[in-house]
Amino acid sequence: GHSSTIVSFPGDFTILTDPHFSNYAGYVRRNTPSAFGVADLPDVVDCVLISHDHMDHLDYWSILALIESSKVKIWIVPLGIKSWLMDKAGVSPEDIVELEWWEGVRIRKSPKCKDSNENKQRTLLPQVEGLVRAYEMNGKRKCDRE
């Protein structure tokens, strides 16, 4: 997707960031198709990280496709997006972790929310009132030495 990244950690832990597989971000059409889609994802996505609510990072149709696939275990989102996921996309509140700046959550690996400087107001269209986030991953790496 435009802003989508799939990260696979050793030990079968998978994170998907800002899923966007649609041909449009609001009224803007993609120039090239998404590099991958829901069908290309592993059977289990341990968590989806949403950075903020711009249409190229929080895509309604991609979220619905992920929900329909039943691949996502947990959604990690910034303040203000949990209610959008529940109300607009039907995600169960038990499956969503909403974080304030600098809060963290531990799920085998621990993403930590960081303040991001991206301009919040880019369009005249209404947006979810929430924070813009960057995430930091902390994972231990086990090295084998000979």
Side-chain angles (χ1 to χ4, degrees), residues 13-71:
F13 187 84
T14 303
I15 295 173
L16 175 64
T17 66
D18 293 332
H20 191 282
F21 311 120
S22 301
N23 289 327
Y24 285 88
Y27 53 86
V28 179
R29 184 169 172 76
R30 276 184 182 276
N31 289 328
T32 59
S34 178
F36 61 93
V38 174
D40 301 312
L41 296 172
D43 291 337
V44 174
V45 175
D46 294 287
C47 74
V48 172
L49 298 177
I50 304 292
S51 62
H52 61 288
D53 65 352
H54 291 171
M55 291 177 277
D56 57 342
H57 294 260
L58 182 62
D59 178 56
Y60 176 71
W61 301 109
S62 299
I63 300 296
L64 290 183
L66 284 167
I67 293 166
E68 187 176 307
S69 76
S70 300
K71 292 183 177 194

Side-chain angles (χ1 to χ4, degrees), residues 85-145:
L85 282 174
M86 292 183 324
D87 299 342
K88 303 288 185 194
V91 177
S92 172
E94 296 82 28
D95 296 336
I96 305 169
V97 175
E98 188 174 50
L99 300 175
E100 177 65 81
W101 279 329
W102 304 107
E103 280 188 314
V105 61
R106 184 157 181 83
I107 310 169
R108 289 198 282 171
K109 305 278 187 249
S110 60
K112 186 177 202 177
C113 273
K114 299 182 86 172
D115 187 6
S116 176
N117 291 325
E118 183 164 342
N119 181 358
K120 184 78 170 110
Q121 193 65 290
R122 283 174 142 175
T123 69
L124 298 175
L125 300 174
Q127 295 183 352
V128 175
E129 287 299 320
L131 302 175
V132 177
R133 297 302 171 115
Y135 290 94
E136 172 185 289
M137 305 298 172
N138 291 322
K140 293 182 180 176
R141 184 175 180 193
K142 182 178 179 182
C143 297
D144 295 322
R145 297 183 184 205

